[in-house]
Amino acid sequence: MKLQRRGLVLDGSGVIFAELEALGLAGWAFQMVSTIDAALKALSRDPAIIGLVAFDSPHAWPAAELDQLLARPDVEWIALLEEGLLRGERLSPEVLRNFHDFHSLPLDRARLGCTLGHAHGKAALLRSEVGQCSDLGAYGMTGSSPKMRQLYRQIDKVITVDAPVLIGGESGSGKELVARAIHRYSARAHGPFIAMNCGAISPGLIHSELFGYERGAFTGASQRKVGNVEAASGGVLFLDEIGDLPLEMQASLLRALQDRTITRVGSTERLHVDVRVIAATHVDLARAVSDGRFREDLFYRLNVVRLKVPALRERVEDLPALAQQVFEECRGKGAQARGFSSAAMNAMMAHSWPGNVRELRNRVQHALVMSDNRLLTPADLGLVEVVGSVDSTLGERRTAVERELIEASLKKCRNNVSATARQLGVSRVTLYRMIDRLKIVL
């Protein structure tokens, strides 16, 4: 029996899907979803490599949400639309930019069959190029390395429970992406997702940001403000860099989590909240507890389920697919580049990525803006081209490239560590750690 090819159809009304089913295209099985959120969930559970989007008007789908769906590198998308919509000012550029092809209505069996076949063939070729037959990732994340597969298995379990989650991992590794995935695929998906960076708010404002305040509570409080805990009720509160939360605020947060109630500043009313807390940190909270910098009782309250996001250097086999995804997402209309040169890919594979995926995105975005080359080079990415003995190990090459890049950046910034860290896209603490490990003399 010939294996059926699968297609996902996004159709808000179901009318076009019914016409498609009536065609009875041999060798094809189609699944219909009516919302973009449902499409993302369907692709995460059982990825299809062909997607069809039905348009009954130029504004059929919210642009930002549609862009998120079309950004998936493992799916070839086809637009199904009335012929007149192609002449619209908004829809035409979108179709040309984001879709593999379009099919104007009414549906034609022969013409649509050719379009589907071509798209399926292209998608299969693209997947074979990155060494994956059917699985480039899950939960909106790219990567099929052993460590990423382990993370996906852990998320499979986490989304079925409503317990607090503590996510560890280096800066820029994608901790917020994991938190958003847990929210999107859990029972709280229809509730809000409120993110708060505990290290980016001054200590004097954190209490108000968390719990809110009443009008007149203090000078400048001209109207009531709903705090992040209250705003997240029914959904998820994501506390990034929880290790930077001041000790006095840790006690207040613990009390709110235990009692499931809060009190706004300037009020005596206790408000019930139903919120799932997902916290993230790049520091060792167990050591912070031992050092007296983090409350032990709050640590155990948050550390019910523990996830670890691997650093990019720990899953270097994911880099080709991840770099291509970032390239497609960041490429603007004026970009000259059409891909990466082999030298650029070798340089990326040899680099240790201290800034992880955030650094990768920054380097690719900068290169796309500044480069005039058809294929991006190591120089475009700010990386040193990998040269040397073929007998040297990958680890030795990475160390040599990393040392050369840091030394060159330090020289350019006149040994100003803060300026060098900004140029490299890493934190100052991370840069000091690398300087110490590589024994670089300042």
Side-chain angles (χ1 to χ4, degrees):
M1 180 178 178
K2 187 176 180 180
L3 185 65
Q4 282 191 316
R5 293 171 290 184
R6 296 181 54 256
L8 182 72
V9 183
L10 175 58
D11 185 1
S13 66
V15 173
I16 296 179
F17 175 75
E19 294 180 13
L20 178 63
E21 288 285 271
L23 292 180
L25 292 172
W28 282 95
F30 297 101
Q31 174 191 357
M32 192 198 99
V33 291
S34 58
T35 66
I36 292 177
D37 188 61
L40 289 167
K41 289 182 179 180
L43 290 173
S44 178
R45 289 192 303 267
D46 191 13
I49 62 174
I50 298 299
L52 301 97
V53 180
F55 289 88
D56 54 15
S57 75
H59 304 281
W61 308 104
E65 295 180 23
L66 185 61
D67 285 346
Q68 181 186 3
L69 179 67
L70 301 180
R72 290 186 61 109
D74 54 337
V75 183
E76 289 294 314
W77 294 96
I78 298 169
L80 305 176
L81 70 176
E82 296 288 348
E83 186 174 358
L85 292 180
L86 282 174
R87 294 189 288 271
E89 293 182 0
R90 175 185 176 272
L91 187 59
S92 182
E94 183 178 279
V95 170
L96 293 175
R97 183 174 66 251
N98 293 325
F99 287 88
H100 165 80
D101 204 345
F102 69 92
H103 186 91
S104 56
L105 302 177
L107 298 179
D108 179 88
R109 179 196 296 269
R111 188 158 49 91
L112 182 59
C114 290
T115 300
L116 288 169
H118 186 203
H120 188 276
K122 181 181 176 182
L125 286 173
L126 287 174
R127 288 193 171 196
S128 65
E129 283 183 5
V130 295
Q132 299 296 328
C133 294
S134 61
D135 189 7
L136 291 178
Y139 293 109
M141 291 175 276
T142 299
S144 56
S145 61
K147 292 207 171 187
M148 288 301 291
R149 290 182 182 275
Q150 180 183 19
L151 178 61
Y152 300 149
R153 289 193 295 270
Q154 291 172 336
I155 294 175
D156 287 340
K157 300 174 183 177
V158 170
I159 60 177
T160 63
V161 299
D162 202 39
V165 181
L166 183 61
I167 305 174
E170 294 181 6
S171 295
S173 57
K175 297 186 290 295
E176 183 170 344
L177 191 63
V178 173
R180 289 185 179 276
I182 295 171
H183 168 253
R184 178 180 287 273
Y185 295 96
S186 72
R188 292 181 177 264
H190 296 294
F193 179 92
I194 305 296
M196 174 177 172
N197 189 328
C198 300
I201 304 173
S202 65
L205 296 176
I206 287 183
H207 194 283
S208 298
E209 289 294 320
L210 273 173
F211 305 119
Y213 54 79
E214 294 290 345
R215 178 181 179 182
F218 49 82
T219 302
S222 58
Q223 60 183 8
R224 171 188 288 174
K225 174 181 170 59
V226 174
N228 288 329
V229 177
E230 184 180 351
S233 190
V236 167
L237 175 64
F238 174 59
L239 297 174
D240 199 7
E241 300 303 346
I242 188 69
D244 293 333
L245 192 68
L247 273 171
E248 59 272 19
M249 281 308 307
Q250 293 176 23
S252 299
L253 177 61
L254 175 64
R255 192 159 50 247
L257 296 180
Q258 289 176 334
D259 300 343
R260 290 183 174 269
T261 61
I262 63 163
T263 303
R264 300 192 193 107
V265 177
S267 172
T268 58
E269 181 185 4
R270 298 181 67 83
L271 303 172
H272 176 75
V273 290
D274 171 27
V275 62
R276 181 182 193 181
V277 172
I278 301 178
T281 179
H282 72 280
V283 302
D284 186 344
L285 282 190
R287 177 174 293 182
V289 169
S290 300
D291 295 340
R293 294 181 289 109
F294 200 85
R295 292 182 61 105
E296 184 176 26
D297 44 8
L298 179 58
F299 172 67
Y300 288 121
R301 168 67 65 172
L302 297 173
N303 194 34
V304 177
V305 178
R306 173 85 178 186
L307 298 179
K308 171 71 163 54
V309 183
L312 185 52
R313 64 179 173 277
E314 296 174 332
R315 56 182 188 107
V316 69
E317 57 266 52
D318 291 331
L319 203 148
L322 189 58
Q324 187 61 38
Q325 179 190 10
V326 171
F327 178 89
E328 295 296 339
E329 290 176 356
C330 295
R331 185 172 63 178
K333 292 182 179 179
Q336 299 295 317
R338 294 295 179 265
F340 299 98
S341 67
S342 57
M345 189 59 70
N346 289 338
M348 287 192 292
M349 295 293 285
H351 185 51
S352 63
W353 299 106
N356 293 294
V357 181
R358 183 183 295 126
E359 180 189 355
L360 173 63
R361 178 173 292 275
N362 288 346
R363 288 184 181 276
V364 172
Q365 195 164 16
H366 172 82
L368 284 168
V369 171
M370 302 302 295
S371 177
D372 294 322
N373 298 314
R374 185 171 181 81
L375 295 177
L376 295 180
T377 67
D380 292 330
L381 295 164
L383 300 175
V384 179
E385 188 166 353
V386 178
V387 295
S389 169
V390 295
D391 296 326
S392 61
T393 66
L394 182 59
E396 290 170 343
R397 291 188 181 187
R398 284 181 185 164
T399 300
V401 170
E402 190 174 2
R403 180 183 291 109
E404 186 173 349
L405 180 61
I406 292 175
E407 288 177 341
S409 296
L410 283 167
K411 182 178 180 180
K412 182 178 179 181
C413 297
R414 299 180 180 181
N415 275 10
N416 185 316
V417 176
S418 295
T420 303
R422 285 195 298 270
Q423 181 180 337
L424 295 175
V426 299
S427 69
R428 192 169 57 168
V429 174
T430 299
L431 182 57
Y432 271 122
R433 188 166 59 243
M434 296 168 63
I435 290 172
D436 183 63
R437 175 170 55 82
L438 296 170
K439 296 180 173 58
I440 296 174
V441 179
L442 294 175

